[in-house]
Amino acid sequence: MAVRAAVLPAVGSPLEITGIDLPDPGPGQVRVRLAAAGVCHSDLSLSDGTMRVPVPAVLGHEGAGTVLAVGEGVTHVAPGDGVVLNWAPSCGNCHACSLGEVWLCANALGGAADVYARTTGGTDLHPGLNVATFAEETVVAAACVLPVPDGVPLTDAALLGCAVLTGYGAVHHSARVRPGETVAVFGVGGVGLAALQAARIAGASKIVAVDVSAEKEELARTAGATDYVVASDTTAREIRGLTGKQGVDVAVECVGRAVTIRTAWDSTRRGGRTTVVGIGGKDQQVTFNALEIFHWGRTLSGCVYGNCDPAADLPVLAEHIRAGRLDLSAMVTERISLEGIPAAFENMLAGKGGRALVVF
Ligand SMILES: [Zn+2]
Ligand SMILES: [Zn+2]
């Protein structure tokens, strides 16, 4: 039976809500009925061509749902189980995987080239970033599903798959924030809100949220921000002013723009660390002079999927959720249907809101 999905027909085209036919899960595959899917900035980047996957595709890479059926050889989940979707499954065999850096797996997106479904009109469809969560149901590789930890509501669990792993991992794994350190988070979207909560969990003494919109202050403070700065030409100076003229120990950039990366770096103290989580385009050139790189002794790091190993990190996040330290539902500012995704993209472009969640 056909299910409804939001299909990207071509790069730059609007999403079309249409019926798709999914095959029964083959060997090593799992069919999942989605409970919820988060709308991530990367979905917008895929639809406008900033990032590329084969099209036509069903986008959506953050989701959770219930297993409907499993193919031959799948033993770690069974029909009826709640699962979080992992859009970057690691192969276990490549150089990165052999070093334990599974988030950099060379084969993580190998499935994007496959045809995984067809529209009811017969058009072949690719699964976006492997998991195609902008649909009522999906069929994925078994490595893309992880059991939802006990005590985490299925709808909230959707956010774990991208925003929370990424924001938490940026703070915990990449920047390695220590108790008492000061942190600035640039960009108060889904990932930024997760990073703010992670900084609070890490015991940061001061957490500065920065965003172009003044309207996100309350959202940011609820997530743990102790200070709020509306982005301007003087942002770095304002952040130094909040930290005894030194600058923060850690900056987490969740925007992916050259000016924001440069400001984040300028906002850190001598020896400070900047982690870039935001995904920008090739046109975003960031420049540094040689003397300042020496003088400031700072670190600038990229961060992919929060440098997380989802199988190891999900149980840790679940513990934070059960203890009330991590609040997933507070990150959701809008609950929408599949038809609401284009408006959610518009809101992202306009810098409005936190996470929009498609609830099925
Ligand atoms: Zn994402
Ligand atoms: Zn690998």
Side-chain angles (χ1 to χ4, degrees):
M1 206 175 77
V3 298
R4 296 171 72 246
V7 172
L8 177 71
V11 169
S13 297
L15 298 182
E16 288 172 5
I17 311 299
T18 183
I20 66 168
D21 287 315
L22 292 162
D24 290 330
Q29 290 187 321
V30 178
R31 182 159 178 159
V32 176
R33 175 184 294 137
L34 274 302
V39 183
C40 177
H41 202 279
S42 301
D43 296 309
L44 174 59
S45 299
L46 290 164
S47 75
D48 70 15
T50 304
M51 294 162 67
R52 297 244 177 199
V53 285
V55 289
V58 176
L59 301 182
H61 59 278
E62 187 179 84
T66 306
V67 174
L68 288 175
V70 300
E72 196 186 315
V74 177
T75 54
H76 75 300
V77 292
D81 287 355
V83 288
V84 180
L85 290 160
N86 169 17
W87 59 265
S90 49
C91 73
N93 297 315
C94 70
H95 184 60
C97 283
S98 74
L99 294 172
E101 298 178 2
V102 296
W103 55 93
L104 299 177
C105 175
N107 302 309
L109 288 179
D114 297 342
V115 169
Y116 90 110
R118 285 187 179 82
T119 65
T120 47
T123 305
D124 287 348
L125 292 170
H126 299 277
L129 296 179
N130 284 320
V131 290
T133 60
F134 288 168
E136 292 169 331
E137 295 179 18
T138 188
V139 173
V140 300
C144 292
V145 300
L146 295 162
V148 171
D150 288 341
V152 181
L154 202 50
T155 315
D156 291 356
L159 300 182
L160 290 171
C162 188
V164 176
L165 279 175
T166 303
Y168 165 83
V171 168
H172 189 78
H173 295 307
S174 178
R176 295 174 188 269
V177 173
R178 293 165 291 205
E181 287 195 310
T182 54
V183 178
V185 174
F186 291 75
V188 182
V191 173
L193 288 167
L196 289 168
Q197 292 204 43
R200 179 172 63 188
I201 291 168
S205 60
K206 187 177 279 286
I207 305 171
V208 186
V210 183
D211 198 276
V212 290
S213 166
E215 288 164 21
K216 294 190 187 178
E217 178 164 358
E218 197 186 325
L219 196 59
R221 287 190 183 272
T222 304
T226 58
D227 296 87
Y228 193 82
V229 172
V230 178
S232 72
D233 293 347
T234 59
T235 297
R237 200 188 313 155
E238 282 179 66
I239 291 174
R240 281 197 295 277
L242 290 168
T243 49
K245 300 210 173 100
Q246 288 196 76
V248 285
D249 298 303
V250 167
V252 180
E253 202 271 0
C254 309
V255 180
R257 292 188 60 212
V259 63
T260 324
I261 293 167
R262 182 65 227 206
T263 304
W265 197 79
D266 287 335
S267 301
T268 59
R269 65 167 170 86
R270 252 186 127 175
R273 290 108 67 200
T274 298
T275 288
V276 177
V277 188
I279 303 170
K282 289 179 191 166
D283 59 328
Q284 296 292 310
Q285 296 282 341
V286 192
T287 57
F288 302 92
N289 70 55
L291 182 62
E292 65 182 351
I293 289 173
F294 160 76
H295 171 80
W296 288 96
R298 291 163 167 156
T299 306
L300 178 68
S301 311
C303 178
V304 175
Y305 208 1
N307 297 7
C308 278
D309 175 353
D313 285 296
L314 282 182
V316 176
L317 291 170
E319 196 49 48
H320 289 310
I321 293 165
R322 285 191 291 263
R325 292 184 290 265
L326 179 62
D327 182 358
L328 302 184
S329 59
M331 297 167 51
V332 177
T333 47
E334 230 187 334
R335 287 165 200 270
I336 60 176
S337 64
L338 283 174
E339 285 80 3
I341 296 171
F345 282 171
E346 290 299 319
N347 282 341
M348 269 180 196
L349 283 170
K352 287 186 198 156
R355 204 49 144 202
L357 190 67
V358 180
V359 179
F360 293 95

